Amino acid sequence: MKGDVFVIEGGRSLFGRAELHGAKNAVLPMLAASVLTAAPVTVGDCPLISDVEDMIAVLRALGVDVAKKGREVTVSGAPSVTEIPAHLACAMRSSVFMLGALLASCGEVCLYSPGGCRIGARPLDIHLDGLAALGAKIEFGEDFVRCTAGKLRGTDIFLRYPSVGATENLLMAAVKAEGTTRLIGAAREPEILSLVRLLVKMGADISGEGTPVLTVRGVRELDGASVLPVKDRIVAGTVMAATAVCGGRVELSGADSSVMGAVISPFLGAHTFLVEHGGAITFESDGLLSPTDVTTGPYPLFPTDMQAPFMAAQCYASGMSTMRETVFEDRFAHVAELGKMGAKIALVGGTAYIDGSAGMHGAELSACDLRGGAGLVVAALGAKGRSSISGTVYIDRGYEDIEGLFSSLGADITRRRGG
Ligand code: EPZ
């Protein structure tokens, strides 16, 4: 596939300080929430990644004004368009977040089949059933869904699965609905707390955040606000995985250990050391990881977005590890690529069995989704010899200057510009 390629000479230890920025999965719904008011909404510390650029393009296509100064994005004005352009919806799954916000602010929204990483079917039933419960009319076209509502009315909504996006969409739909809405079985990811913090600062009445039951009392209007998102725990975990594989000591500046428990715990063992100090985490490893058995799940369990980066680290562990993926039904595309490096991984149902004693070497690799691509970078950093990774466009969706990040820590990684 055309495009840039990462070239990595593996085997270098990592030392230094990595500065974390706002979490992609907090910033995207927060930017979507901005259309709930015409007043200026500012989200600071945004990562410089293509998903944020794509979300800005969606907002501009809806007719609102978006000003970006470095990492600070300010959105103002009311949407004049309620249809998410197909080419933009296909670029990114996060265009789904516009459903709740646009419906609440304009009474209608039309979304073409959203894009994003190919990691399973990713249906929208939980989103749409919830919007229908609030009184929206849902119409399906060949490749679009249209939601319309005169007035949304609060009600109890039971989520059959704690879907992150559905929780966020339904929150944004409920904040100006008539009466009270309870989201029962809601997701509890830290990125949702950032969205709640923004909505409350805008004047929404929300309680129960961090618990499986969110209560929203509808208000008439929302105002502008300015909020910083939670730091990116997946970027932090990805740097930890690379440090575990390469050996070394890295300070993760801005890491918030209060939301990183599940990310950190599989890294802890005889060959690692971790200390928290003044808004940072320092993680040290001698590069000899112990085997681990990990299962992904909704927060506060081990996050599915860490599955591929951590599996790359398990490929270097001294024995058999397992990785059970319970959130997405098709999130093992990176396994075949790791196999090109010598990894011995057997997939049985939703569980990967990783024999770390196989020994890893550089190879020509191809990323086909965001976190799988990050996993390949982690594996290549630890492997003897040279690796090349194509499909960098996927990785750039969620990691800001990943080659600069790891080069600054001592890795030998460069970006070869593609045609
Ligand atoms: C969010 O996706 C994240 N994306 C994902 O991160 C993350 O992996 C995921 O949550 C789980 O934590 C953003 O926040 C932008 P879900 P989302 O709805 O909301 C099923 C990354 O790499 N489901 O919690 O799409 C779904 O198929 C991305 O940064 C339904 O069946 O995830 C999946 O199996 C990848 N029906 C499971 O629930 C629905 O209506 C979890 O999906 C909705 C979801």
Side-chain angles (χ1 to χ4, degrees):
M1 114 180 241
K2 279 273 173 247
D4 298 351
V5 172
F6 290 137
V7 179
I8 294 170
E9 289 293 346
R12 311 269 291 258
S13 300
L14 303 180
F15 290 92
R17 177 176 171 277
E19 187 177 357
L20 298 175
H21 293 293
K24 165 177 87 77
N25 292 348
V27 166
L28 297 174
M30 291 167 83
L31 290 175
S34 65
V35 304
L36 290 163
T37 178
V41 171
T42 297
V43 180
D45 197 24
C46 293
L48 306 178
I49 56 176
S50 57
D51 262 13
V52 169
E53 291 307 319
D54 288 346
M55 180 57 96
I56 289 172
V58 169
L59 290 169
R60 286 182 171 142
L62 297 175
V64 298
D65 180 64
V66 184
K68 183 167 186 290
K69 273 188 303 197
R71 297 177 185 285
E72 193 174 83
V73 178
T74 299
V75 186
S76 53
S80 53
V81 172
T82 58
E83 182 173 300
I84 316 276
H87 71 285
L88 289 175
C90 296
M92 173 187 59
R93 165 89 181 174
S94 312
S95 46
V96 167
F97 294 118
M98 295 315 305
L99 281 175
L102 271 181
L103 191 60
S105 59
C106 306
E108 63 171 8
V109 55
C110 180
L111 175 71
Y112 285 82
S113 50
C117 292
R118 293 281 165 264
I119 50 176
R122 302 185 83 176
L124 294 176
D125 59 299
I126 304 172
H127 299 247
L128 299 174
D129 291 351
L131 294 177
L134 290 168
K137 183 171 166 247
I138 314 287
E139 296 161 86
F140 290 95
E142 201 173 292
D143 61 349
F144 68 86
V145 60
R146 183 186 311 279
C147 310
T148 48
K151 184 73 190 150
L152 293 168
R153 283 184 182 70
T155 184
D156 280 358
I157 299 174
F158 292 84
L159 282 77
R160 67 173 177 78
Y161 181 88
S163 155
V164 172
T167 300
E168 293 166 335
N169 253 330
L170 296 174
L171 264 176
M172 290 188 265
V175 288
K176 294 204 291 188
E178 229 159 56
T180 299
T181 299
R182 290 196 308 163
L183 301 183
I184 299 151
R188 299 156 55 192
E189 271 67 4
E191 293 76 22
I192 298 174
L193 300 194
S194 291
L195 173 63
V196 170
R197 210 166 50 248
L198 171 63
L199 291 170
V200 167
K201 238 182 147 178
M202 291 168 69
D205 181 344
I206 301 171
S207 58
E209 58 271 25
T211 77
V213 180
L214 288 172
T215 300
V216 185
R217 291 173 183 77
V219 295
R220 292 182 58 76
E221 287 308 321
L222 292 176
D223 206 342
S226 175
V227 168
L228 287 175
V230 68
K231 296 287 187 179
D232 199 314
R233 60 194 170 113
I234 307 301
V235 170
T238 304
V239 174
M240 286 177 69
T243 307
V245 161
C246 300
R249 183 176 61 254
V250 175
E251 177 188 320
L252 297 162
S253 168
D256 178 351
S257 59
S258 70
V259 297
M260 284 190 62
V263 171
I264 290 170
S265 55
F267 286 100
L268 300 182
H271 299 283
T272 59
F273 170 77
L274 182 138
V275 65
E276 221 197 303
H277 53 95
I281 287 177
T282 292
F283 177 66
E284 186 171 348
S285 165
D286 63 8
L288 297 169
L289 257 190
S290 311
T292 43
D293 296 310
V294 179
T295 298
T296 69
Y299 193 85
L301 300 179
F302 187 78
T304 174
D305 292 347
M306 271 302 298
Q307 186 251 100
F310 194 78
M311 184 190 290
Q314 290 177 311
C315 291
Y316 290 85
S318 53
M320 184 66 79
S321 297
T322 59
M323 175 63 78
R324 184 161 166 257
E325 171 61 66
T326 71
V327 177
F328 288 103
E329 76 277 11
D330 184 13
R331 201 171 196 178
F332 284 131
H334 46 283
V335 168
E337 295 301 305
L338 292 170
K340 292 178 184 171
M341 304 177 74
K344 296 232 175 316
I345 304 172
L347 289 180
V348 179
T351 301
Y353 294 81
I354 304 112
D355 176 359
S357 57
M360 300 281 279
H361 55 74
E364 272 196 30
L365 306 168
S366 177
C368 63
D369 64 74
L370 164 55
R371 306 301 177 183
L376 298 182
V377 170
V378 169
L381 288 171
K384 296 213 173 350
R386 170 172 297 195
S387 296
S388 64
I389 302 174
S390 62
T392 55
V393 66
Y394 295 105
I395 303 169
D396 292 338
R397 286 188 44 217
Y399 291 84
E400 176 184 326
D401 184 19
I402 196 169
E403 71 274 25
L405 167 65
F406 283 120
S407 301
S408 71
L409 297 173
D412 181 348
I413 172 173
T414 51
R415 179 190 292 258
R416 194 175 63 212
R417 293 288 169 195

